[in-house]
């Protein structure tokens, strides 16, 4: 039976004899994820290369570097390493608009390319809790809302009362004006109970850009 597979990277045909020549000459790249404002390193490697030029270009198809020569006037882009086997560049102060598919080209005949997707994470702003008026009378309905903007992808919000998670909450996600990031909000809806007087309600925002240190907003309840 004959079978074949489609892979995103073109793989050179397996050599029938030990002498594979320049067939292993495909550029190799890796996708990169970086937090907004951080630095992205884009590396392109070639195992075997006989004096063939390497080039990095951005999602708009503009050349960034051709070997060790800078082609685009952008102070944020710098050369890390240029050799026959590698072309590495760095992009500092990355913005959401830098996201997209970057291309490394090896100028053989025909040109061989490899793509690297740069994903930029939007950092959520410090959350704020609104809706609390003090004091609240026992039996009154309380609605506390926690909100954070600027996350990409949308951040996760969780509520805790005295460090115990409260599960029954509403979650709302809206696109920000830039069409890239999100404002997320969550509402905690409950009846004031005398046992909750002095309780600490906290809203915790988790996001992959926060390096596993959640952002937290707190509110102490005052119930009469």
């Amino acid at each position: 039976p004959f079978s074949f597979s489609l892979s995103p990277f073109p793989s050179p045909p397996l050599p029938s004899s030990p002498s594979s020549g320049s067939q292993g000459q495909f550029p190799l790249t890796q996708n990169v994820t970086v937090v907004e404002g951080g630095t992205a390193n884009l590396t392109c490697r070639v195992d075997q290369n006989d004096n063939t030029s390497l080039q990095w270009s951005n999602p708009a198809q503009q050349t960034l570097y051709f070997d060790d020569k800078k082609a685009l006037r952008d102070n944020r882009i710098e050369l890390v390493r240029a050799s026959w086997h590698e072309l590495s560049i760095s992009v500092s102060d990355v913005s959401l608009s830098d996201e997209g598919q970057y291309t490394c080209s090896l100028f053989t005949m025909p040109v061989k390319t490899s793509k690297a997707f740069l994903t930029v994470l939007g950092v959520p702003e410090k959350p704020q809790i609104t809706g609390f008026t003090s004091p609240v009378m026992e039996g009154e309905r309380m609605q506390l809302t926690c909100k954070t903007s600027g996350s990409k992808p949308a951040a996760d919000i969780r509520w805790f009362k005295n460090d115990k998670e409260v599960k029954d909450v509403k979650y709302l996600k809206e696109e920000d004006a830039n069409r890239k990031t999100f404002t997320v909000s969550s509402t905690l809806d409950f009846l004031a109970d005398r046992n909750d007087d002095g309780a600490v309600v906290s809203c915790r925002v988790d996001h992959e850009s926060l390096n596993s240190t959640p952002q937290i907003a707190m509110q102490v309840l005052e119930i009469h």
Side-chain angles (χ1 to χ4, degrees):
F2 180 75
S3 71
F4 66 95
S5 69
L6 291 171
S7 70
F9 287 101
S11 50
L14 289 170
S16 49
S17 66
S19 60
S20 61
S22 64
Q23 284 178 341
Q25 222 176 322
F26 272 92
L28 291 171
T29 57
Q30 277 180 318
N31 293 338
V32 175
T33 297
V34 66
V35 174
E36 182 184 10
T39 299
N41 285 311
L42 296 167
T43 298
C44 181
R45 290 197 175 90
V46 190
D47 285 341
Q48 299 159 342
N49 190 357
D50 33 30
N51 303 2
T52 308
S53 289
L54 281 166
Q55 169 189 293
W56 268 115
S57 50
N58 67 12
Q61 302 297 308
Q62 296 166 302
T63 300
L64 302 178
Y65 264 91
F66 187 82
D67 290 333
D68 59 355
K69 292 170 202 65
K70 189 169 187 171
L72 189 71
R73 291 181 65 174
D74 183 336
N75 293 335
R76 303 174 309 137
I77 300 171
E78 290 179 16
L79 183 66
V80 176
R81 189 177 292 114
S83 69
W84 290 124
H85 292 287
E86 182 182 333
L87 179 57
S88 292
I89 62 172
S90 68
V91 184
S92 57
D93 196 16
V94 170
S95 71
L96 295 166
S97 56
D98 290 318
E99 181 167 279
Q101 194 154 266
Y102 289 72
T103 306
C104 174
S105 305
L106 177 68
F107 284 84
T108 48
M109 290 293 291
V111 173
K112 292 173 182 158
T113 62
S114 177
K115 312 273 188 199
F117 199 91
L118 174 65
T119 301
V120 182
L121 302 177
V123 184
E125 286 169 12
K126 193 160 168 45
Q128 289 188 320
I129 295 176
T130 55
F132 182 73
T133 49
S134 176
V136 179
M137 302 310 287
E138 182 171 23
E140 274 184 40
R141 192 167 168 202
M142 293 182 74
Q143 277 193 325
L144 300 181
T145 298
C146 180
K147 193 173 189 175
T148 173
S149 304
S151 58
K152 171 179 170 295
D156 187 35
I157 296 185
R158 290 157 73 194
W159 285 96
F160 294 84
K161 193 192 284 182
N162 288 342
D163 296 336
K164 186 175 188 302
E165 187 166 1
V166 182
K167 290 285 194 187
D168 190 22
V169 290
K170 289 197 197 80
Y171 178 85
L172 181 69
K173 174 175 105 171
E174 301 167 290
E175 244 184 17
D176 291 332
N178 61 19
R179 308 291 299 275
K180 290 185 169 77
T181 58
F182 292 92
T183 291
V184 288
S185 60
S186 176
T187 303
L188 184 63
D189 197 332
F190 61 100
L191 292 176
D193 183 289
R194 65 177 62 193
N195 297 327
D196 287 336
D197 186 43
V200 178
V201 170
S202 55
C203 148
R204 172 175 149 173
V205 174
D206 287 289
H207 194 261
E208 53 194 293
S209 69
L210 297 174
N211 217 345
S212 32
T213 314
Q215 291 182 340
I216 295 170
M218 289 181 174
Q219 177 67 59
V220 178
L221 303 183
E222 191 185 342
I223 293 160
H224 288 197

